[in-house]
Amino acid sequence: MEGKLHSGFHHKLLREWQCINTDINPANLIYPIFITDEENSLEPIKSLPGQYRIGTERLAEFLQPLINKGLRSVLLFGVPTKFEKDYGGSSATDPKSPVLVGIQKLRSLFPDLLILCDVCLCAYTDNGHCGILNEDGSLNSARSNHRLAEVAVAYAKAGCHVVAPSDMNDGRIGMIKQKLSENSLDTKVEEFSFCHSVTDEPDTTRVEKRGSQEMLIKQLQEIRLNEDLLLKI
């Protein structure tokens, strides 16, 4: 890694974000895009007032007014509807998946727009979890991290500027960095890990995941962590 340019400098906006001056303006905001494989869709999301499941053919008309107001970055969340889900989330790297198609569409429409992509498996696995499970239902961290890294590389190759894993699996950042490096993408694509408390998943999946998260919150409370540090879904 010695002598390589840090991945946080390859895009003009990323360089601006690393300035020591702090203010709030449109350039500092990241707009979430829930992108679907229904090409002409503009479907309201009931749980997120003002947000939509957007097809690739509606991206230009939806984003242009926001860009005119100063928006410079978006975060893509895939909402597949036509792909079969399986235990490994194989459709996440299908060339026709909504995120991969959307990346290329946005790069063509808005060349200066910074594109971040949520890296997770929950929208693509048949169990709705963020990783690959063992037969007993426990998480297989090694396989999960390897698969997440494959997804990140696919997004990077499609033209994504920032891969943003939200799965919270231990060790996935190191694996993603390794795979990006092996594909000579480590100086061209930034990593930005985060977690989010909003779901666009079926109710049954949401309830199952909510139960796991509530159990974690209870465990954290038992060891008396400050409640301000707890993410309550």
Side-chain angles (χ1 to χ4, degrees), residues 4-5 12 14 25 33 36 48 59 65 80 91 114 120 127 170 172 182 187 195 205 216 225:
K4 288 190 175 182
L5 180 68
K12 184 177 185 295
L14 290 175
N25 61 64
I33 296 292
T36 177
L48 291 172
L59 288 171
S91 61
L114 182 72
C120 197
N127 53 46
D170 290 340
R172 89 278 203 210
E182 290 175 1
T187 63
C195 64
T205 299
L216 174 60
L225 280 180

Side-chain angles (χ1 to χ4, degrees), residues 110-167:
F110 309 109
D112 296 326
L113 185 69
L114 182 72
I115 302 171
L116 300 86
C117 291
D118 174 52
V119 178
C120 197
L121 299 179
C122 57
Y124 306 95
T125 55
D126 52 10
N127 53 46
H129 282 282
C130 302
I132 297 175
L133 305 183
N134 295 311
E135 290 185 3
D136 63 0
S138 61
L139 178 70
N140 188 318
S141 292
R143 294 187 66 186
S144 297
N145 291 338
H146 186 270
R147 180 60 185 148
L148 289 164
E150 289 179 338
V151 175
V153 168
Y155 291 169
K157 287 183 175 180
C160 173
H161 300 107
V162 181
V163 290
S166 63
D167 57 280

Side-chain angles (χ1 to χ4, degrees), residues 17 29-37 45 48 51-56 58-60 62-63 66-67 71-80 92 97-110 113-124 151-152 154-156 158-166 192 194 196 198 200:
W17 281 354
L29 303 178
I30 303 173
Y31 196 92
I33 296 292
F34 299 90
I35 189 166
T36 177
D37 46 17
I45 300 175
L48 291 172
Q51 298 298 317
Y52 302 84
R53 298 180 186 92
I54 306 173
T56 54
R58 307 294 293 273
L59 288 171
F62 186 84
L63 282 175
L66 299 176
I67 291 174
L71 182 72
R72 297 173 62 188
S73 62
V74 294
L75 173 57
L76 303 187
F77 295 89
V79 187
S97 72
V99 174
L100 290 174
V101 174
I103 293 170
Q104 297 174 69
K105 187 78 171 181
L106 288 173
R107 288 296 300 265
S108 174
L109 290 170
F110 309 109
L113 185 69
L114 182 72
I115 302 171
L116 300 86
C117 291
D118 174 52
V119 178
C120 197
L121 299 179
C122 57
Y124 306 95
V151 175
Y155 291 169
C160 173
H161 300 107
V162 181
V163 290
S166 63
F192 172 73
F194 77 110
H196 56 85
V198 176
D200 186 32

Side-chain angles (χ1 to χ4, degrees), residues 7 9 38 40 51 74-75 78 89 91 107 110 112 117 125 142 152 169 173 176-177 190 193 202 205 221 223 228:
S7 59
F9 293 98
E38 296 286 348
N40 293 298
Q51 298 298 317
V74 294
L75 173 57
S91 61
R107 288 296 300 265
F110 309 109
D112 296 326
C117 291
T125 55
N169 289 322
I173 295 297
I176 289 173
K177 285 181 175 288
E190 174 70 300
S193 60
T205 299
Q221 289 172 331
I223 61 175
D228 291 338

